Amino acid sequence: MDGCLEASLSPLSIPEYVLGCSGRRMPLLGFGTAASPPVGSQLTKTAILQAIELGYRHFDTASLYGTEQPLGEAILEAIAVGLIKSRDELFITSKLWCSDAHGELVLPALQRSLKNLRLEYLDLYLIHWPVSSKPGIYEFPIKREDFLAMDFKAVWKAMEDCQRLGLTKSIGVSNFSCKKLGDILAFATIPPAVNQVELNPLWQQKKLREFCKANGILLTAYAPLGAQGTIWGSNRVLECELLKEIAKQKGKTVAQICLRWAYEQGIGILVKSFNKDRMKSNLEIFNWSLSQEDVKKINDIPQSRLCSGQDYISKYGPFNTTQELWDGEI
Ligand code: NAP
């Protein structure tokens, strides 16, 4: 896989990918911090500390999740107790929320995230969704009448300025279709390094994968296990009969089959578990492989989105339908 580096030394090391433009090394398996329903800061911090102890080095947060603060506290504690020597050993991603997705609000939003995280820089800052909302309102779900079309040029230029200022090492997007990525690429002076989207064996994003590969953008999977138990996901991935069959044959869990499959497809992965045993088993995917036959069977699974993005649809626009939000990629 282009840009992929096998990380050195410890058996728990996670392979890394060198991101375009910045040259930053991103661990290909990262730890998600969005719990649904949300859990308290203390539980989040404890889970993150356990994750660092187990070997996770890449953490995904967003201003929306309310997990920037506990992540920041966990990093300080991890340094204090000697789990890591410095923050530089970690790869930290956060995201710009819709109400801050206005040219002049991007830098202040990033500065707030950095303050919450008690960090001097992010490794990756993403536009969370390709839509803006009325400034100053931080409610979720966003009121239908509060959605606004994003001024992609102004917002992306402000993202580029953040990278030039050194406040984030790389920039990217999330929940962008091929069409919307193409719109950004048409004027970007720094192209997006990453597009973070739903991706799992039931929604494989084949078109977007090809587009991203051709344009040097690393596609990164959220909901790699189908986000079971959350308001945006379902148990369809973990309950898939074919995946259960492959897992049984290989003596692995269905979750490990999903994560290994995604890794073999050359994409980044973010997986969330606040349970120590599951956190650990989710990491155990790098010293075995799927057979070509298994991969073919998985690639042939009928496709449908689990996370439809319904919360971002409004009769007042800019996206009246999920067709418009995903530009027909549904
Ligand atoms: P996910 O990682 O596919 O699934 C998480 C759910 O699966 C949790 O309920 C977790 O419960 C459970 N789980 C984890 N490992 C398991 C295992 N081995 N066996 C059985 N169940 C397991 O979904 P996700 O949390 O939606 O995605 C991961 C991360 O991506 C998020 O945390 C967030 O950081 C990011 N994300 C981004 C966006 C975006 O719009 N950019 C959207 C959604 C998510 P336990 O904790 O109890 O183990």
Side-chain angles (χ1 to χ4, degrees):
M1 184 171 55
D2 294 345
C4 183
L5 287 174
E6 287 297 324
S8 52
L9 303 174
S10 132
L12 264 183
S13 282
I14 297 171
E16 296 176 332
Y17 182 92
V18 179
L19 293 177
C21 277
S22 68
R24 200 80 184 158
R25 292 162 67 127
M26 180 177 120
L28 277 163
L29 182 64
F31 187 84
T33 65
S36 165
V39 299
S41 283
Q42 191 54 44
L43 273 179
T44 307
K45 183 182 158 188
T46 303
I48 294 167
L49 272 167
Q50 286 176 338
I52 295 176
E53 197 176 1
L54 287 170
Y56 287 91
R57 289 294 178 267
H58 171 180
F59 292 85
D60 182 75
T61 183
S63 62
L64 175 71
Y65 304 161
T67 56
E68 289 176 327
Q69 222 158 333
L71 174 55
E73 286 170 16
I75 295 170
L76 286 180
E77 196 163 325
I79 297 169
V81 300
L83 288 175
I84 49 171
K85 286 199 186 67
S86 86
R87 171 264 176 271
D88 299 349
E89 291 174 34
L90 302 177
F91 187 101
I92 307 295
T93 301
S94 193
K95 312 188 192 83
L96 176 76
W97 185 237
C98 304
S99 51
D100 290 318
H102 302 273
E104 71 288 3
L105 298 183
V106 175
L107 177 59
L110 173 55
Q111 285 167 330
R112 267 198 316 279
S113 284
L114 289 172
K115 198 169 167 213
N116 289 337
L117 285 156
R118 305 190 212 178
L119 294 179
E120 284 173 9
Y121 69 91
L122 290 179
D123 295 282
L124 181 62
Y125 196 42
L126 305 176
I127 299 177
H128 205 149
W129 283 86
V131 64
S132 299
S133 63
K134 273 192 195 150
I137 303 174
Y138 292 92
E139 287 172 9
F140 185 79
I142 296 168
K143 283 202 197 81
R144 304 290 164 187
E145 59 273 27
D146 285 352
F147 282 108
L148 298 163
M150 188 184 296
D151 179 343
F152 280 156
K153 262 194 185 162
V155 172
W156 191 253
K157 184 184 172 303
M159 294 287 286
E160 290 176 340
D161 289 344
C162 291
Q163 179 168 332
R164 288 197 186 96
L165 285 168
L167 297 176
T168 181
K169 302 288 178 191
S170 306
I171 50 175
V173 297
S174 176
N175 297 299
F176 272 52
S177 64
C178 296
K179 153 97 179 50
K180 291 183 178 65
L181 271 177
D183 292 346
I184 297 271
L185 287 170
F187 51 72
T189 56
I190 304 174
V194 164
N195 185 19
Q196 186 188 117
V197 296
E198 178 198 345
L199 200 154
N200 51 56
L202 270 61
W203 186 244
Q204 301 182 14
Q205 298 271 21
K206 287 176 187 155
K207 182 177 170 195
L208 194 55
R209 258 155 60 191
E210 270 173 36
F211 183 91
C212 286
K213 195 169 177 209
N215 287 284
I217 298 167
L218 179 69
L219 198 60
T220 300
Y222 72 71
L225 311 179
Q228 167 173 274
T230 70
I231 50 166
W232 56 88
S234 92
N235 62 359
R236 280 175 40 217
V237 172
L238 293 181
E239 290 302 319
C240 169
E241 286 306 323
L242 173 75
L243 296 174
K244 281 186 181 174
E245 217 174 274
I246 297 174
K248 197 171 166 202
Q249 271 168 17
K250 292 204 85 75
K252 303 288 176 193
T253 65
V254 174
Q256 288 171 326
I257 299 296
C258 293
L259 299 173
R260 178 70 205 186
W261 168 82
Y263 171 63
E264 288 186 14
Q265 303 307 302
I267 56 162
I269 308 162
L270 298 164
V271 65
K272 177 263 167 187
S273 178
F274 284 3
N275 170 289
K276 200 170 181 185
D277 292 337
R278 292 193 283 276
M279 263 181 222
K280 184 169 180 297
S281 71
N282 290 345
L283 276 176
E284 291 165 355
I285 63 159
F286 297 114
N287 59 358
W288 54 277
S289 55
L290 291 163
S291 68
Q292 275 185 0
E293 200 188 317
D294 289 340
V295 172
K296 186 177 174 332
K297 281 189 203 159
I298 295 173
N299 289 349
D300 288 344
I301 292 176
Q303 296 294 291
S304 63
R305 237 178 229 287
L306 303 175
C307 311
S308 67
Q310 201 57 45
D311 283 332
Y312 301 88
I313 305 304
S314 166
K315 66 176 177 184
Y316 306 106
F319 306 124
N320 298 132
T321 61
T322 48
Q323 283 279 350
E324 287 175 15
L325 172 63
W326 303 114
D327 298 302
E329 293 163 24
I330 52 175

